[in-house]
Amino acid sequence: MRIGYFLSCEEYTPAQLIEQARLAQDAGFQGLWISDHYHPWNDEQGQSPFVWSIIGALSRVVTIPITTAVTCPIQRIHPAIVAQAAATSAVLHDGRFVLGVGTGEALNEHITGERWPSAAERLEMLEESIEVMRKLWDGGFVNHRGQYYTVEQAQVYTRPQTPPSVYVSAFGPKALDLAGRIADGYILTMPDGDLVRGFREAGGGDKPVQGGFKASWAPTKEEAVATAHRLWANSGVPGELSQVLPSPKHFEQVSQLVTPEQTAKAIACGPDPAAQASYLRQYEEAGFDEVYVANIGPHYAELIDLYRKEFL
């Protein structure tokens, strides 16, 4: 199983993200995930730079692969624009770029004032958006008039030799079926072996499966838990709430129901390598090909160094 590093745009400035990427590559991490948000989950996290600017900057400092985890190409940004952004990113990274996509959250996508569609409708939109992007990556002028998107005489001129791979994030059965049918790989943020098998049985076969989890390094476990709870209590928000709440303030309100004890169970906390090893083992046993670890809090250099010494 390959181990990568997850760049959290919700929590860090552009300069910090670039520094983390450089440190991660130097330590031996084999790839990067990067989140694509308009808003952070809460005001305490406090950041949210434009992901495509960061990806361009990263092409000057790293040579390991990078995947968006994940972009929502259905509402906030038209898929024809995402197709151009992904193609340019693939060129900048010499083909080492993967476009991870999903159906998104209202937190980021509602900002243009459009109605937030149902989950089933968003899946249909995602499938059509992938169709649009792949048409544009094939070259030539594209005209498309579908159920959700119109493209008129559009051509992406700056394209990589091989079109970007598209990995799909999916949890429910319908989304899993879509991923198995059309994705080049699968993205999941929980070590669920049943979902991995479901993807493979739905048509995914031996295509890559990527996963990710969060870690909070601090000199003591107590400090690590306190930092994780202050910044990422939203990780404990259950069910579909994360898809429908529209603002950081709403996440702050619902996160008050999450206890520090629940945060400690959901996030690998503290300086002990055994906490990290436990999470890595869960993903390995569930059949993942790649796993990406995201740091929480100010001690990202220490977490990266722990991985360099213990796992890489």
Side-chain angles (χ1 to χ4, degrees), residues 276-295:
Q276 308 299 322
S278 173
Y279 277 79
L280 293 171
R281 192 175 301 113
Q282 290 177 54
Y283 282 86
E284 188 171 35
E285 292 175 350
F288 284 74
D289 301 293
E290 305 171 27
V291 65
Y292 295 79
V293 57
N295 181 74

Side-chain angles (χ1 to χ4, degrees), residues 186-215:
Y186 180 38
I187 289 177
L188 190 60
T189 54
M190 61 186 77
D192 191 319
D194 290 338
L195 288 176
V196 173
R197 285 187 290 274
F199 166 72
R200 301 205 183 284
E201 293 169 359
D206 61 356
K207 294 175 182 177
V209 175
Q210 296 181 341
F213 66 92
K214 292 179 175 60

Side-chain angles (χ1 to χ4, degrees), residues 36-256:
D36 180 358
H37 272 240
Y38 193 90
H39 293 137
W41 296 99
N42 55 60
D43 284 351
E44 191 71 27
Q45 291 172 358
Q47 294 291 328
S48 199
F50 188 51
V51 70
W52 300 107
S53 299
I54 304 300
I55 290 171
L58 289 173
S59 71
R60 303 299 89 192
V61 295
V62 298
T63 56
I64 53 178
I66 184 167
T67 302
T68 54
V70 294
T71 291
C72 179
I74 66 173
Q75 186 163 311
R76 170 169 46 110
I77 303 179
H78 192 284
I81 309 303
V82 177
Q84 184 187 27
T88 299
S89 298
V91 171
L92 283 169
H93 286 268
D94 294 325
R96 297 182 299 271
F97 172 79
V98 172
L99 179 64
V101 298
T103 55
E105 303 93 12
L107 174 72
N108 302 302
E109 309 307 324
H110 81 287
I111 59 166
T112 59
E114 297 181 49
R115 177 184 65 86
W116 181 235
S118 68
E121 190 175 1
R122 298 200 312 275
L123 270 180
E124 294 175 352
M125 296 171 75
L126 181 63
E127 182 167 8
E128 186 177 336
S129 75
I130 293 171
E131 177 189 355
V132 166
M133 291 188 291
R134 285 175 168 161
K135 283 181 179 179
L136 287 162
W137 293 333
D138 284 341
F141 280 95
V142 171
N143 290 284
H144 174 92
R145 296 189 182 278
Q147 182 177 358
Y148 297 104
Y149 303 108
T150 297
V151 179
E152 186 169 314
Q153 296 183 1
Q155 179 170 353
V156 174
Y157 278 84
T158 300
R159 307 191 319 276
Q161 290 186 343
T162 302
S165 295
V166 179
Y167 290 11
V168 173
S169 172
F171 303 99
K174 292 182 180 179
L176 198 61
D177 175 70
L178 174 67
R181 284 191 295 108
I182 70 172
D184 299 310
Y186 180 38
I187 289 177
L188 190 60
T189 54
M190 61 186 77
D192 191 319
D194 290 338
L195 288 176
V196 173
R197 285 187 290 274
F199 166 72
R200 301 205 183 284
E201 293 169 359
D206 61 356
K207 294 175 182 177
V209 175
Q210 296 181 341
F213 66 92
K214 292 179 175 60
S216 176
W217 193 101
T220 67
K221 182 174 180 179
E222 292 73 19
E223 183 181 342
V225 171
T227 298
H229 191 66
R230 175 173 60 85
L231 291 166
W232 285 91
N234 60 279
S235 293
V237 173
E240 297 181 19
L241 279 175
S242 291
Q243 297 176 11
V244 300
L245 295 177
S247 77
K249 292 296 184 186
H250 290 97
F251 277 94
E252 289 168 6
Q253 292 166 9
V254 75
S255 293
Q256 294 176 14

